[in-house]
Amino acid sequence: DSGVTQTPKHLITATGQRVTLRCSPRSGDLSVYWYQQSLDQGLQFLIQYYNGEERAKGNILERFSAQQFPDLHSELNLSSLELGDSALYFCASSVVGLNGDIQYFGAGTRLSVL
Amino acid sequence: LAKTTQPISMDSYEGQEVNITCSHNNIATNDYITWYQQFPSQGPRFIIQGYKTKVTNEVASLFIPADRKSSTLSLPRVSLSDTAVYYCLVGDISSGSARQLTFGSGTQLTVLP
């Protein structure tokens, strides 16, 4: 158990809909990252928040947005969903290791857009 | 933006040492190299991290040459349970940085009995 909690585990919805994925980081971790992993694909970095502020942005679509709340949990909002948005969405939180940040990943939310 | 290249797949036998190399020609001065392991439908798990030379922990070693344009993850005496995808990540994600993170395409390691 990494200590990072993601809910829900599974989400099935229809095209055009909007969903919210939730992530609770490990206790004490200030950074939260979101990744998308499509079937048989690598991990695509979406966005990073650090202590409530956006810190780094990856290939995140304009239809997607995220935020980190004062209690440090984060939400990823996906709107106007398309079939191609079906994927595993991972959240990670990080602690600074001896050589840099180490990310701890949650179990993921599997999104199916029908 | 440091792009990484890894072999798509590797096969090994139980008890052997496995070396997986990641190329990152455009690595920047402030970039660290981190390796993760991922089992199907699970989140990646941290294995090891380094900046230069050699790092060793209880599960793996990481070799980084002086020019830092590549790195090699070494898994000693693999077992069937080491069958997984291994990712190389290069990036500067320390506080204050806004650089993007780049995961490689991953290497599917299959350990055979």
Side-chain angles (χ1 to χ4, degrees), chain A residues 33 35 37 42-43 45 50 55-57 90 99-103 105-106 110, chain B residues 32 36 38 41-44 46 49 87 89 93 95-98 100-101 103:
Chain A
Y33 310 80
Y35 292 86
Q37 186 172 41
L43 286 153
F45 168 65
Y50 179 82
R55 182 56 58 90
K57 213 166 188 175
F90 289 106
N99 291 309
D101 260 2
I102 297 172
Q103 296 178 63
F105 285 78
R110 183 175 295 279
Chain B
Y32 294 100
Y36 291 85
Q38 186 180 29
S41 297
Q42 293 186 25
F46 170 81
Q49 184 180 71
Y87 288 99
L89 171 64
I93 53 175
S95 299
S97 169
Q100 292 188 10
L101 306 174
F103 269 86

PDB file of all heavy atoms in Angstrom, chain A residues 33 35 37 42-43 45 50 55-57 90 99-103 105-106 110, chain B residues 32 36 38 41-44 46 49 87 89 93 95-98 100-101 103:
ATOM      1  N   TYR A  33       0.623  14.622  -8.397  1.00  0.00           N
ATOM      2  CA  TYR A  33       0.780  14.528  -9.843  1.00  0.00           C
ATOM      3  C   TYR A  33      -0.355  13.693 -10.409  1.00  0.00           C
ATOM      4  O   TYR A  33      -0.799  12.734  -9.779  1.00  0.00           O
ATOM      5  CB  TYR A  33       2.103  13.835 -10.204  1.00  0.00           C
ATOM      6  CG  TYR A  33       3.319  14.380  -9.512  1.00  0.00           C
ATOM      7  CD1 TYR A  33       3.620  14.003  -8.203  1.00  0.00           C
ATOM      8  CD2 TYR A  33       4.170  15.263 -10.158  1.00  0.00           C
ATOM      9  CE1 TYR A  33       4.734  14.498  -7.557  1.00  0.00           C
ATOM     10  CE2 TYR A  33       5.299  15.756  -9.518  1.00  0.00           C
ATOM     11  CZ  TYR A  33       5.568  15.372  -8.218  1.00  0.00           C
ATOM     12  OH  TYR A  33       6.672  15.865  -7.576  1.00  0.00           O
ATOM     13  N   TYR A  35      -1.427  11.440 -13.915  1.00  0.00           N
ATOM     14  CA  TYR A  35      -0.959  10.783 -15.120  1.00  0.00           C
ATOM     15  C   TYR A  35      -2.118  10.067 -15.806  1.00  0.00           C
ATOM     16  O   TYR A  35      -3.050   9.610 -15.148  1.00  0.00           O
ATOM     17  CB  TYR A  35       0.111   9.729 -14.810  1.00  0.00           C
ATOM     18  CG  TYR A  35       1.422  10.275 -14.310  1.00  0.00           C
ATOM     19  CD1 TYR A  35       1.620  10.547 -12.960  1.00  0.00           C
ATOM     20  CD2 TYR A  35       2.479  10.498 -15.194  1.00  0.00           C
ATOM     21  CE1 TYR A  35       2.835  11.035 -12.506  1.00  0.00           C
ATOM     22  CE2 TYR A  35       3.697  10.977 -14.741  1.00  0.00           C
ATOM     23  CZ  TYR A  35       3.861  11.250 -13.399  1.00  0.00           C
ATOM     24  OH  TYR A  35       5.071  11.726 -12.942  1.00  0.00           O
ATOM     25  N   GLN A  37      -2.806   6.811 -18.485  1.00  0.00           N
ATOM     26  CA  GLN A  37      -2.205   5.651 -19.135  1.00  0.00           C
ATOM     27  C   GLN A  37      -3.284   4.944 -19.953  1.00  0.00           C
ATOM     28  O   GLN A  37      -4.175   4.294 -19.408  1.00  0.00           O
ATOM     29  CB  GLN A  37      -1.588   4.699 -18.119  1.00  0.00           C
ATOM     30  CG  GLN A  37      -0.821   3.557 -18.769  1.00  0.00           C
ATOM     31  CD  GLN A  37      -0.044   2.738 -17.746  1.00  0.00           C
ATOM     32  OE1 GLN A  37      -0.526   2.457 -16.658  1.00  0.00           O
ATOM     33  NE2 GLN A  37       1.174   2.361 -18.094  1.00  0.00           N
ATOM     34  N   GLY A  42       2.384   4.059 -22.412  1.00  0.00           N
ATOM     35  CA  GLY A  42       3.171   4.504 -21.264  1.00  0.00           C
ATOM     36  C   GLY A  42       2.420   5.553 -20.471  1.00  0.00           C
ATOM     37  O   GLY A  42       1.279   5.900 -20.765  1.00  0.00           O
ATOM     38  N   LEU A  43       3.079   6.035 -19.457  1.00  0.00           N
ATOM     39  CA  LEU A  43       2.472   7.034 -18.584  1.00  0.00           C
ATOM     40  C   LEU A  43       2.668   8.428 -19.159  1.00  0.00           C
ATOM     41  O   LEU A  43       3.788   8.844 -19.429  1.00  0.00           O
ATOM     42  CB  LEU A  43       3.113   6.963 -17.201  1.00  0.00           C
ATOM     43  CG  LEU A  43       2.701   5.767 -16.382  1.00  0.00           C
ATOM     44  CD1 LEU A  43       3.777   5.396 -15.402  1.00  0.00           C
ATOM     45  CD2 LEU A  43       1.409   6.049 -15.649  1.00  0.00           C
ATOM     46  N   PHE A  45       2.329  12.288 -18.385  1.00  0.00           N
ATOM     47  CA  PHE A  45       2.196  13.260 -17.308  1.00  0.00           C
ATOM     48  C   PHE A  45       1.192  14.332 -17.695  1.00  0.00           C
ATOM     49  O   PHE A  45       1.259  14.899 -18.786  1.00  0.00           O
ATOM     50  CB  PHE A  45       3.568  13.878 -17.017  1.00  0.00           C
ATOM     51  CG  PHE A  45       3.544  15.094 -16.141  1.00  0.00           C
ATOM     52  CD1 PHE A  45       3.116  15.003 -14.821  1.00  0.00           C
ATOM     53  CD2 PHE A  45       3.945  16.319 -16.622  1.00  0.00           C
ATOM     54  CE1 PHE A  45       3.102  16.113 -13.999  1.00  0.00           C
ATOM     55  CE2 PHE A  45       3.945  17.438 -15.815  1.00  0.00           C
ATOM     56  CZ  PHE A  45       3.512  17.340 -14.504  1.00  0.00           C
ATOM     57  N   TYR A  50       1.648  21.666  -6.183  1.00  0.00           N
ATOM     58  CA  TYR A  50       2.498  21.690  -4.996  1.00  0.00           C
ATOM     59  C   TYR A  50       1.874  22.661  -3.992  1.00  0.00           C
ATOM     60  O   TYR A  50       1.788  23.860  -4.264  1.00  0.00           O
ATOM     61  CB  TYR A  50       3.925  22.119  -5.348  1.00  0.00           C
ATOM     62  CG  TYR A  50       4.850  22.180  -4.158  1.00  0.00           C
ATOM     63  CD1 TYR A  50       5.450  21.032  -3.670  1.00  0.00           C
ATOM     64  CD2 TYR A  50       5.107  23.391  -3.511  1.00  0.00           C
ATOM     65  CE1 TYR A  50       6.290  21.078  -2.577  1.00  0.00           C
ATOM     66  CE2 TYR A  50       5.944  23.438  -2.419  1.00  0.00           C
ATOM     67  CZ  TYR A  50       6.537  22.285  -1.955  1.00  0.00           C
ATOM     68  OH  TYR A  50       7.369  22.331  -0.855  1.00  0.00           O
ATOM     69  N   ARG A  55       2.254  23.544 -10.425  1.00  0.00           N
ATOM     70  CA  ARG A  55       3.702  23.652 -10.486  1.00  0.00           C
ATOM     71  C   ARG A  55       4.257  23.265 -11.846  1.00  0.00           C
ATOM     72  O   ARG A  55       5.219  23.850 -12.325  1.00  0.00           O
ATOM     73  CB  ARG A  55       4.332  22.772  -9.404  1.00  0.00           C
ATOM     74  CG  ARG A  55       5.828  22.829  -9.335  1.00  0.00           C
ATOM     75  CD  ARG A  55       6.346  24.259  -9.142  1.00  0.00           C
ATOM     76  NE  ARG A  55       5.840  24.904  -7.954  1.00  0.00           N
ATOM     77  CZ  ARG A  55       6.430  24.847  -6.771  1.00  0.00           C
ATOM     78  NH1 ARG A  55       7.529  24.147  -6.612  1.00  0.00           N
ATOM     79  NH2 ARG A  55       5.925  25.492  -5.733  1.00  0.00           N
ATOM     80  N   ALA A  56       3.662  22.274 -12.474  1.00  0.00           N
ATOM     81  CA  ALA A  56       4.146  21.844 -13.784  1.00  0.00           C
ATOM     82  C   ALA A  56       2.982  21.301 -14.580  1.00  0.00           C
ATOM     83  O   ALA A  56       2.044  20.735 -14.034  1.00  0.00           O
ATOM     84  CB  ALA A  56       5.239  20.788 -13.659  1.00  0.00           C
ATOM     85  N   LYS A  57       3.039  21.533 -15.890  1.00  0.00           N
ATOM     86  CA  LYS A  57       1.956  21.104 -16.756  1.00  0.00           C
ATOM     87  C   LYS A  57       2.518  20.250 -17.878  1.00  0.00           C
ATOM     88  O   LYS A  57       3.530  20.589 -18.476  1.00  0.00           O
ATOM     89  CB  LYS A  57       1.265  22.337 -17.349  1.00  0.00           C
ATOM     90  CG  LYS A  57      -0.206  22.196 -17.601  1.00  0.00           C
ATOM     91  CD  LYS A  57      -0.839  23.569 -17.854  1.00  0.00           C
ATOM     92  CE  LYS A  57      -2.334  23.488 -17.913  1.00  0.00           C
ATOM     93  NZ  LYS A  57      -2.973  24.801 -18.026  1.00  0.00           N
ATOM     94  N   PHE A  90      -3.765   7.827 -13.011  1.00  0.00           N
ATOM     95  CA  PHE A  90      -3.022   7.642 -11.776  1.00  0.00           C
ATOM     96  C   PHE A  90      -2.720   8.982 -11.131  1.00  0.00           C
ATOM     97  O   PHE A  90      -2.421   9.966 -11.805  1.00  0.00           O
ATOM     98  CB  PHE A  90      -1.694   6.922 -12.024  1.00  0.00           C
ATOM     99  CG  PHE A  90      -1.842   5.476 -12.385  1.00  0.00           C
ATOM    100  CD1 PHE A  90      -1.639   5.039 -13.678  1.00  0.00           C
ATOM    101  CD2 PHE A  90      -2.159   4.544 -11.402  1.00  0.00           C
ATOM    102  CE1 PHE A  90      -1.762   3.700 -14.008  1.00  0.00           C
ATOM    103  CE2 PHE A  90      -2.290   3.198 -11.714  1.00  0.00           C
ATOM    104  CZ  PHE A  90      -2.098   2.780 -13.021  1.00  0.00           C
ATOM    105  N   ASN A  99      18.161  12.185  -3.629  1.00  0.00           N
ATOM    106  CA  ASN A  99      18.600  12.681  -4.919  1.00  0.00           C
ATOM    107  C   ASN A  99      17.522  13.461  -5.656  1.00  0.00           C
ATOM    108  O   ASN A  99      17.726  13.909  -6.748  1.00  0.00           O
ATOM    109  CB  ASN A  99      19.059  11.518  -5.801  1.00  0.00           C
ATOM    110  CG  ASN A  99      20.333  10.894  -5.288  1.00  0.00           C
ATOM    111  OD1 ASN A  99      21.300  11.597  -5.032  1.00  0.00           O
ATOM    112  ND2 ASN A  99      20.330   9.603  -5.102  1.00  0.00           N
ATOM    113  N   GLY A 100      16.367  13.585  -5.083  1.00  0.00           N
ATOM    114  CA  GLY A 100      15.297  14.268  -5.795  1.00  0.00           C
ATOM    115  C   GLY A 100      13.968  13.710  -5.350  1.00  0.00           C
ATOM    116  O   GLY A 100      13.877  12.945  -4.416  1.00  0.00           O
ATOM    117  N   ASP A 101      12.930  14.091  -6.052  1.00  0.00           N
ATOM    118  CA  ASP A 101      11.595  13.650  -5.671  1.00  0.00           C
ATOM    119  C   ASP A 101      11.368  12.176  -5.967  1.00  0.00           C
ATOM    120  O   ASP A 101      11.785  11.670  -6.997  1.00  0.00           O
ATOM    121  CB  ASP A 101      10.553  14.477  -6.426  1.00  0.00           C
ATOM    122  CG  ASP A 101       9.980  15.575  -5.553  1.00  0.00           C
ATOM    123  OD1 ASP A 101      10.413  15.706  -4.403  1.00  0.00           O
ATOM    124  OD2 ASP A 101       9.086  16.285  -6.026  1.00  0.00           O
ATOM    125  N   ILE A 102      10.694  11.496  -5.065  1.00  0.00           N
ATOM    126  CA  ILE A 102      10.255  10.123  -5.260  1.00  0.00           C
ATOM    127  C   ILE A 102       8.743  10.137  -5.239  1.00  0.00           C
ATOM    128  O   ILE A 102       8.141  10.643  -4.296  1.00  0.00           O
ATOM    129  CB  ILE A 102      10.792   9.204  -4.159  1.00  0.00           C
ATOM    130  CG1 ILE A 102      12.315   9.145  -4.205  1.00  0.00           C
ATOM    131  CG2 ILE A 102      10.186   7.803  -4.297  1.00  0.00           C
ATOM    132  CD1 ILE A 102      12.931   8.408  -3.043  1.00  0.00           C
ATOM    133  N   GLN A 103       8.140   9.592  -6.277  1.00  0.00           N
ATOM    134  CA  GLN A 103       6.690   9.600  -6.374  1.00  0.00           C
ATOM    135  C   GLN A 103       6.104   8.275  -5.915  1.00  0.00           C
ATOM    136  O   GLN A 103       6.615   7.213  -6.255  1.00  0.00           O
ATOM    137  CB  GLN A 103       6.263   9.869  -7.824  1.00  0.00           C
ATOM    138  CG  GLN A 103       6.664  11.238  -8.328  1.00  0.00           C
ATOM    139  CD  GLN A 103       6.278  11.441  -9.766  1.00  0.00           C
ATOM    140  OE1 GLN A 103       5.108  11.440 -10.116  1.00  0.00           O
ATOM    141  NE2 GLN A 103       7.268  11.585 -10.613  1.00  0.00           N
ATOM    142  N   PHE A 105       2.621   6.181  -6.122  1.00  0.00           N
ATOM    143  CA  PHE A 105       1.433   6.150  -6.959  1.00  0.00           C
ATOM    144  C   PHE A 105       0.261   5.458  -6.268  1.00  0.00           C
ATOM    145  O   PHE A 105       0.437   4.470  -5.548  1.00  0.00           O
ATOM    146  CB  PHE A 105       1.719   5.416  -8.271  1.00  0.00           C
ATOM    147  CG  PHE A 105       2.528   6.213  -9.249  1.00  0.00           C
ATOM    148  CD1 PHE A 105       3.895   6.348  -9.087  1.00  0.00           C
ATOM    149  CD2 PHE A 105       1.919   6.840 -10.325  1.00  0.00           C
ATOM    150  CE1 PHE A 105       4.658   7.080  -9.997  1.00  0.00           C
ATOM    151  CE2 PHE A 105       2.658   7.569 -11.241  1.00  0.00           C
ATOM    152  CZ  PHE A 105       4.023   7.700 -11.072  1.00  0.00           C
ATOM    153  N   GLY A 106      -0.927   5.967  -6.553  1.00  0.00           N
ATOM    154  CA  GLY A 106      -2.133   5.287  -6.126  1.00  0.00           C
ATOM    155  C   GLY A 106      -2.455   4.118  -7.047  1.00  0.00           C
ATOM    156  O   GLY A 106      -1.740   3.876  -8.017  1.00  0.00           O
ATOM    157  N   ARG A 110      -9.896   3.584 -13.195  1.00  0.00           N
ATOM    158  CA  ARG A 110     -10.104   3.125 -14.571  1.00  0.00           C
ATOM    159  C   ARG A 110     -11.365   3.782 -15.114  1.00  0.00           C
ATOM    160  O   ARG A 110     -12.467   3.548 -14.620  1.00  0.00           O
ATOM    161  CB  ARG A 110     -10.239   1.610 -14.652  1.00  0.00           C
ATOM    162  CG  ARG A 110     -10.396   1.104 -16.087  1.00  0.00           C
ATOM    163  CD  ARG A 110     -10.403  -0.401 -16.171  1.00  0.00           C
ATOM    164  NE  ARG A 110      -9.127  -0.993 -15.777  1.00  0.00           N
ATOM    165  CZ  ARG A 110      -8.068  -1.082 -16.556  1.00  0.00           C
ATOM    166  NH1 ARG A 110      -8.114  -0.623 -17.793  1.00  0.00           N
ATOM    167  NH2 ARG A 110      -6.952  -1.642 -16.118  1.00  0.00           N
TER     168      ARG A 110
ATOM    169  N   TYR B  32      17.225  14.361 -12.499  1.00  0.00           N
ATOM    170  CA  TYR B  32      17.513  13.103 -11.829  1.00  0.00           C
ATOM    171  C   TYR B  32      16.971  11.950 -12.670  1.00  0.00           C
ATOM    172  O   TYR B  32      16.134  12.143 -13.546  1.00  0.00           O
ATOM    173  CB  TYR B  32      16.843  13.075 -10.450  1.00  0.00           C
ATOM    174  CG  TYR B  32      17.411  14.075  -9.491  1.00  0.00           C
ATOM    175  CD1 TYR B  32      16.762  15.292  -9.259  1.00  0.00           C
ATOM    176  CD2 TYR B  32      18.590  13.814  -8.819  1.00  0.00           C
ATOM    177  CE1 TYR B  32      17.295  16.211  -8.389  1.00  0.00           C
ATOM    178  CE2 TYR B  32      19.122  14.733  -7.944  1.00  0.00           C
ATOM    179  CZ  TYR B  32      18.471  15.927  -7.732  1.00  0.00           C
ATOM    180  OH  TYR B  32      18.988  16.847  -6.869  1.00  0.00           O
ATOM    181  N   TYR B  36      11.022   3.029 -12.140  1.00  0.00           N
ATOM    182  CA  TYR B  36       9.809   2.516 -11.513  1.00  0.00           C
ATOM    183  C   TYR B  36       9.461   1.159 -12.114  1.00  0.00           C
ATOM    184  O   TYR B  36       9.775   0.872 -13.268  1.00  0.00           O
ATOM    185  CB  TYR B  36       8.635   3.475 -11.723  1.00  0.00           C
ATOM    186  CG  TYR B  36       8.749   4.781 -10.982  1.00  0.00           C
ATOM    187  CD1 TYR B  36       9.443   5.853 -11.511  1.00  0.00           C
ATOM    188  CD2 TYR B  36       8.161   4.929  -9.719  1.00  0.00           C
ATOM    189  CE1 TYR B  36       9.556   7.045 -10.823  1.00  0.00           C
ATOM    190  CE2 TYR B  36       8.269   6.126  -9.025  1.00  0.00           C
ATOM    191  CZ  TYR B  36       8.962   7.174  -9.593  1.00  0.00           C
ATOM    192  OH  TYR B  36       9.077   8.349  -8.903  1.00  0.00           O
ATOM    193  N   GLN B  38       6.116  -1.458 -12.780  1.00  0.00           N
ATOM    194  CA  GLN B  38       4.660  -1.464 -12.835  1.00  0.00           C
ATOM    195  C   GLN B  38       4.133  -2.838 -13.218  1.00  0.00           C
ATOM    196  O   GLN B  38       4.531  -3.396 -14.249  1.00  0.00           O
ATOM    197  CB  GLN B  38       4.129  -0.421 -13.821  1.00  0.00           C
ATOM    198  CG  GLN B  38       2.602  -0.296 -13.791  1.00  0.00           C
ATOM    199  CD  GLN B  38       2.062   0.733 -14.752  1.00  0.00           C
ATOM    200  OE1 GLN B  38       2.642   1.016 -15.787  1.00  0.00           O
ATOM    201  NE2 GLN B  38       0.903   1.313 -14.405  1.00  0.00           N
ATOM    202  N   SER B  41      -2.332  -3.142 -14.359  1.00  0.00           N
ATOM    203  CA  SER B  41      -3.446  -2.490 -13.662  1.00  0.00           C
ATOM    204  C   SER B  41      -3.083  -2.016 -12.260  1.00  0.00           C
ATOM    205  O   SER B  41      -3.970  -1.843 -11.409  1.00  0.00           O
ATOM    206  CB  SER B  41      -4.658  -3.429 -13.584  1.00  0.00           C
ATOM    207  OG  SER B  41      -5.119  -3.722 -14.882  1.00  0.00           O
ATOM    208  N   GLN B  42      -1.808  -1.811 -12.005  1.00  0.00           N
ATOM    209  CA  GLN B  42      -1.380  -1.243 -10.726  1.00  0.00           C
ATOM    210  C   GLN B  42      -0.582   0.021 -10.988  1.00  0.00           C
ATOM    211  O   GLN B  42      -0.048   0.231 -12.086  1.00  0.00           O
ATOM    212  CB  GLN B  42      -0.515  -2.235  -9.944  1.00  0.00           C
ATOM    213  CG  GLN B  42      -1.251  -3.468  -9.463  1.00  0.00           C
ATOM    214  CD  GLN B  42      -0.374  -4.329  -8.575  1.00  0.00           C
ATOM    215  OE1 GLN B  42       0.572  -3.846  -7.946  1.00  0.00           O
ATOM    216  NE2 GLN B  42      -0.671  -5.608  -8.520  1.00  0.00           N
ATOM    217  N   GLY B  43      -0.490   0.854  -9.972  1.00  0.00           N
ATOM    218  CA  GLY B  43       0.332   2.041 -10.095  1.00  0.00           C
ATOM    219  C   GLY B  43       1.810   1.704 -10.055  1.00  0.00           C
ATOM    220  O   GLY B  43       2.209   0.722  -9.426  1.00  0.00           O
ATOM    221  N   PRO B  44       2.630   2.483 -10.724  1.00  0.00           N
ATOM    222  CA  PRO B  44       4.075   2.243 -10.687  1.00  0.00           C
ATOM    223  C   PRO B  44       4.619   2.323  -9.265  1.00  0.00           C
ATOM    224  O   PRO B  44       4.072   3.033  -8.419  1.00  0.00           O
ATOM    225  CB  PRO B  44       4.640   3.376 -11.545  1.00  0.00           C
ATOM    226  CG  PRO B  44       3.507   3.782 -12.432  1.00  0.00           C
ATOM    227  CD  PRO B  44       2.280   3.602 -11.606  1.00  0.00           C
ATOM    228  N   PHE B  46       8.242   2.838  -7.001  1.00  0.00           N
ATOM    229  CA  PHE B  46       9.617   3.332  -7.020  1.00  0.00           C
ATOM    230  C   PHE B  46      10.605   2.197  -6.784  1.00  0.00           C
ATOM    231  O   PHE B  46      10.411   1.354  -5.908  1.00  0.00           O
ATOM    232  CB  PHE B  46       9.792   4.403  -5.945  1.00  0.00           C
ATOM    233  CG  PHE B  46      11.217   4.815  -5.709  1.00  0.00           C
ATOM    234  CD1 PHE B  46      11.830   5.721  -6.541  1.00  0.00           C
ATOM    235  CD2 PHE B  46      11.934   4.282  -4.642  1.00  0.00           C
ATOM    236  CE1 PHE B  46      13.144   6.107  -6.318  1.00  0.00           C
ATOM    237  CE2 PHE B  46      13.247   4.663  -4.405  1.00  0.00           C
ATOM    238  CZ  PHE B  46      13.850   5.579  -5.252  1.00  0.00           C
ATOM    239  N   GLN B  49      16.746   5.657  -7.530  1.00  0.00           N
ATOM    240  CA  GLN B  49      16.950   6.984  -8.108  1.00  0.00           C
ATOM    241  C   GLN B  49      18.406   7.376  -7.974  1.00  0.00           C
ATOM    242  O   GLN B  49      19.058   7.033  -6.982  1.00  0.00           O
ATOM    243  CB  GLN B  49      16.066   7.996  -7.379  1.00  0.00           C
ATOM    244  CG  GLN B  49      16.094   9.415  -7.930  1.00  0.00           C
ATOM    245  CD  GLN B  49      15.185  10.328  -7.131  1.00  0.00           C
ATOM    246  OE1 GLN B  49      15.460  10.670  -5.994  1.00  0.00           O
ATOM    247  NE2 GLN B  49      14.069  10.707  -7.738  1.00  0.00           N
ATOM    248  N   TYR B  87      10.041   1.391 -16.012  1.00  0.00           N
ATOM    249  CA  TYR B  87      10.078   2.719 -16.609  1.00  0.00           C
ATOM    250  C   TYR B  87      11.274   3.513 -16.101  1.00  0.00           C
ATOM    251  O   TYR B  87      11.581   3.509 -14.905  1.00  0.00           O
ATOM    252  CB  TYR B  87       8.818   3.505 -16.262  1.00  0.00           C
ATOM    253  CG  TYR B  87       7.574   3.045 -16.954  1.00  0.00           C
ATOM    254  CD1 TYR B  87       6.673   2.209 -16.299  1.00  0.00           C
ATOM    255  CD2 TYR B  87       7.282   3.456 -18.254  1.00  0.00           C
ATOM    256  CE1 TYR B  87       5.510   1.793 -16.930  1.00  0.00           C
ATOM    257  CE2 TYR B  87       6.118   3.043 -18.881  1.00  0.00           C
ATOM    258  CZ  TYR B  87       5.243   2.203 -18.212  1.00  0.00           C
ATOM    259  OH  TYR B  87       4.094   1.790 -18.828  1.00  0.00           O
ATOM    260  N   LEU B  89      12.492   7.339 -15.721  1.00  0.00           N
ATOM    261  CA  LEU B  89      11.951   8.698 -15.666  1.00  0.00           C
ATOM    262  C   LEU B  89      13.086   9.686 -15.495  1.00  0.00           C
ATOM    263  O   LEU B  89      13.927   9.528 -14.601  1.00  0.00           O
ATOM    264  CB  LEU B  89      10.976   8.827 -14.500  1.00  0.00           C
ATOM    265  CG  LEU B  89      10.483  10.237 -14.154  1.00  0.00           C
ATOM    266  CD1 LEU B  89       9.685  10.818 -15.306  1.00  0.00           C
ATOM    267  CD2 LEU B  89       9.645  10.221 -12.885  1.00  0.00           C
ATOM    268  N   ILE B  93      12.003  17.495 -10.753  1.00  0.00           N
ATOM    269  CA  ILE B  93      10.718  17.767 -10.130  1.00  0.00           C
ATOM    270  C   ILE B  93      10.902  18.219  -8.697  1.00  0.00           C
ATOM    271  O   ILE B  93      10.026  18.086  -7.877  1.00  0.00           O
ATOM    272  CB  ILE B  93       9.789  16.537 -10.197  1.00  0.00           C
ATOM    273  CG1 ILE B  93      10.488  15.309  -9.620  1.00  0.00           C
ATOM    274  CG2 ILE B  93       9.344  16.278 -11.617  1.00  0.00           C
ATOM    275  CD1 ILE B  93       9.576  14.092  -9.542  1.00  0.00           C
ATOM    276  N   SER B  95      11.327  20.988  -5.754  1.00  0.00           N
ATOM    277  CA  SER B  95      10.542  22.187  -5.488  1.00  0.00           C
ATOM    278  C   SER B  95      11.070  23.377  -6.277  1.00  0.00           C
ATOM    279  O   SER B  95      12.269  23.605  -6.345  1.00  0.00           O
ATOM    280  CB  SER B  95      10.597  22.520  -3.988  1.00  0.00           C
ATOM    281  OG  SER B  95      10.055  21.480  -3.245  1.00  0.00           O
ATOM    282  N   GLY B  96      10.165  24.095  -6.870  1.00  0.00           N
ATOM    283  CA  GLY B  96      10.545  25.268  -7.627  1.00  0.00           C
ATOM    284  C   GLY B  96      10.684  25.023  -9.106  1.00  0.00           C
ATOM    285  O   GLY B  96      10.762  25.953  -9.899  1.00  0.00           O
ATOM    286  N   SER B  97      10.687  23.759  -9.492  1.00  0.00           N
ATOM    287  CA  SER B  97      10.862  23.462 -10.905  1.00  0.00           C
ATOM    288  C   SER B  97       9.526  23.372 -11.619  1.00  0.00           C
ATOM    289  O   SER B  97       8.549  22.903 -11.068  1.00  0.00           O
ATOM    290  CB  SER B  97      11.597  22.142 -11.076  1.00  0.00           C
ATOM    291  OG  SER B  97      11.548  21.734 -12.428  1.00  0.00           O
ATOM    292  N   ALA B  98       9.491  23.805 -12.864  1.00  0.00           N
ATOM    293  CA  ALA B  98       8.273  23.684 -13.655  1.00  0.00           C
ATOM    294  C   ALA B  98       8.521  22.824 -14.882  1.00  0.00           C
ATOM    295  O   ALA B  98       7.759  22.856 -15.829  1.00  0.00           O
ATOM    296  CB  ALA B  98       7.787  25.066 -14.079  1.00  0.00           C
ATOM    297  N   GLN B 100       8.722  19.646 -17.334  1.00  0.00           N
ATOM    298  CA  GLN B 100       7.842  18.510 -17.560  1.00  0.00           C
ATOM    299  C   GLN B 100       8.555  17.221 -17.202  1.00  0.00           C
ATOM    300  O   GLN B 100       9.761  17.132 -17.202  1.00  0.00           O
ATOM    301  CB  GLN B 100       7.404  18.478 -19.016  1.00  0.00           C
ATOM    302  CG  GLN B 100       6.496  19.624 -19.396  1.00  0.00           C
ATOM    303  CD  GLN B 100       5.931  19.443 -20.788  1.00  0.00           C
ATOM    304  OE1 GLN B 100       6.067  18.397 -21.390  1.00  0.00           O
ATOM    305  NE2 GLN B 100       5.292  20.462 -21.302  1.00  0.00           N
ATOM    306  N   LEU B 101       7.761  16.214 -16.897  1.00  0.00           N
ATOM    307  CA  LEU B 101       8.269  14.898 -16.558  1.00  0.00           C
ATOM    308  C   LEU B 101       8.127  13.989 -17.758  1.00  0.00           C
ATOM    309  O   LEU B 101       7.126  14.020 -18.438  1.00  0.00           O
ATOM    310  CB  LEU B 101       7.503  14.321 -15.383  1.00  0.00           C
ATOM    311  CG  LEU B 101       7.463  15.219 -14.155  1.00  0.00           C
ATOM    312  CD1 LEU B 101       6.556  14.622 -13.105  1.00  0.00           C
ATOM    313  CD2 LEU B 101       8.869  15.382 -13.596  1.00  0.00           C
ATOM    314  N   PHE B 103       8.313  10.056 -18.812  1.00  0.00           N
ATOM    315  CA  PHE B 103       8.478   8.621 -18.633  1.00  0.00           C
ATOM    316  C   PHE B 103       8.854   8.024 -19.981  1.00  0.00           C
ATOM    317  O   PHE B 103       8.349   8.439 -21.011  1.00  0.00           O
ATOM    318  CB  PHE B 103       7.167   7.973 -18.176  1.00  0.00           C
ATOM    319  CG  PHE B 103       7.021   7.899 -16.689  1.00  0.00           C
ATOM    320  CD1 PHE B 103       6.510   8.969 -15.987  1.00  0.00           C
ATOM    321  CD2 PHE B 103       7.394   6.762 -15.997  1.00  0.00           C
ATOM    322  CE1 PHE B 103       6.364   8.898 -14.606  1.00  0.00           C
ATOM    323  CE2 PHE B 103       7.258   6.683 -14.620  1.00  0.00           C
ATOM    324  CZ  PHE B 103       6.733   7.756 -13.923  1.00  0.00           C
TER     325      PHE B 103
END
